[in-house]
Amino acid sequence: MRQPLVAGNWKMHGSRESVVALLGALSTSVKCDAVDVAVCPAFVHLPQALELSASSPVSVGAQDCSAFDEGAYTGEVAAAMLADLGCEWVILGHSERRAYHHESDALVSAKLSAAIAAGLRPIVCVGETRTQRESGEAEAIVAAQLAGALAEHGNLAGLVVAYEPVWAIGTGLTATPEQAQDMHAYIRAELASIPGLDEQATRLLYGGSVKPGNADELFAQVDIDGALVGGAALVAEDFQAIVNAAA
Ligand code: 13P
């Protein structure tokens, strides 16, 4: 019922040369009859990525967008600009934006409104820090992030939520499949009280040190519908292997 989605978040990595190499490899190798595949390069590489993936099943997204429609907002990129370029997806509320750019749930919510208005498909990220998990607050933190970002929208059909425990990002530590499943089931239950979406149809991605070696057991969990992949998305064979595991 829920087609898996594997999205690569390239973060602030790459060059024009590496984009050609990575998308050249992926565009020919990725077979995604049973899985949706997306890559999210840095803003400056989006036009090139869109061109290189045009005749392939790989779709392209951005890693962020502005909460504003247009205007005097130096350095910002509007959701409508991304849609105009041909982007399909946008990642919102990534923990690195929350940590380094002080993004609040209210700002994530405003960005979500802008993304929806522009016709982009949003991937909203939530997740607790290590301290929050150790003090037993993980579920409360995630519930607050979901409510803060999602409560005020009329129509959230097609929304994707990514659960990315901050302690598992780029650390080599992965939530166990059981920890990830438990939180995904909790998120799905929380989504039931959010207006404008069908929680059973909403795809929930896991993110945080997803690798070819752990993808199978993560994807075997009933509430894990794919992955948001960081480091392993920069290596074509690894990303391909994760896509295959989801298919
Ligand atoms: P890593 O896969 O490198 O841990 O990154 C996960 C992530 O933050 C994806 O958005």
Side-chain angles (χ1 to χ4, degrees):
M1 168 189 174
R2 296 184 297 264
Q3 167 127 326
L5 166 65
V6 176
N9 175 6
W10 292 2
K11 307 193 179 183
M12 198 172 72
H13 291 290
S15 60
R16 287 187 299 163
E17 197 181 340
S18 72
V19 172
V20 171
L22 196 44
L23 269 172
L26 291 178
S27 301
T28 50
S29 67
V30 162
K31 306 268 180 300
C32 22
D33 294 343
V35 47
D36 292 337
V37 179
V39 296
C40 301
F43 286 130
V44 289
H45 293 141
L46 287 172
Q48 195 190 7
L50 283 157
E51 202 173 309
L52 289 163
S53 63
S55 54
S56 88
V58 178
S59 56
V60 174
Q63 300 171 18
D64 184 32
C65 72
S66 177
F68 301 106
D69 292 340
E70 64 171 340
Y73 303 105
T74 302
E76 291 278 270
V77 177
M81 293 173 178
L82 298 170
D84 181 44
L85 212 52
C87 289
E88 206 170 310
W89 301 94
V90 64
I91 298 171
L92 298 175
H94 192 279
S95 61
E96 288 149 16
R97 302 243 19 121
R98 294 177 189 261
Y100 305 134
H101 302 275
H102 311 291
E103 290 198 5
S104 63
D105 294 325
L107 181 58
V108 177
S109 178
K111 290 184 173 194
L112 179 57
S113 293
I116 293 168
L120 295 173
R121 305 170 82 181
I123 301 173
V124 172
C125 302
V126 297
E128 81 286 356
T129 63
R130 185 179 200 132
T131 321
Q132 289 163 338
R133 175 158 284 263
E134 285 171 356
S135 60
E137 292 175 284
E139 288 186 349
I141 293 292
V142 167
Q145 290 171 335
L146 290 170
L150 307 182
E152 304 293 325
H153 304 275
N155 183 3
L156 290 173
L159 174 82
V160 175
V161 174
Y163 169 58
E164 299 205 311
V166 179
W167 47 272
I169 295 177
T171 57
L173 295 173
T174 323
T176 64
E178 295 72 27
Q179 281 174 320
Q181 166 57 28
D182 284 353
M183 186 58 93
H184 280 231
Y186 177 77
I187 291 171
R188 202 176 298 288
E190 285 295 297
L191 291 181
S193 61
I194 306 267
L197 60 74
D198 171 358
E199 78 280 3
Q200 294 302 330
T202 301
R203 290 185 284 189
L204 307 183
L205 311 186
Y206 172 78
S209 298
V210 177
K211 306 276 183 256
N214 58 25
D216 274 328
E217 52 180 6
L218 287 163
F219 296 155
Q221 308 303 311
V222 289
D223 286 298
I224 299 184
D225 308 314
L228 185 55
V229 185
L234 298 170
V235 181
E237 311 81 74
D238 288 359
F239 191 64
Q240 177 63 59
I242 294 168
V243 170
N244 291 345

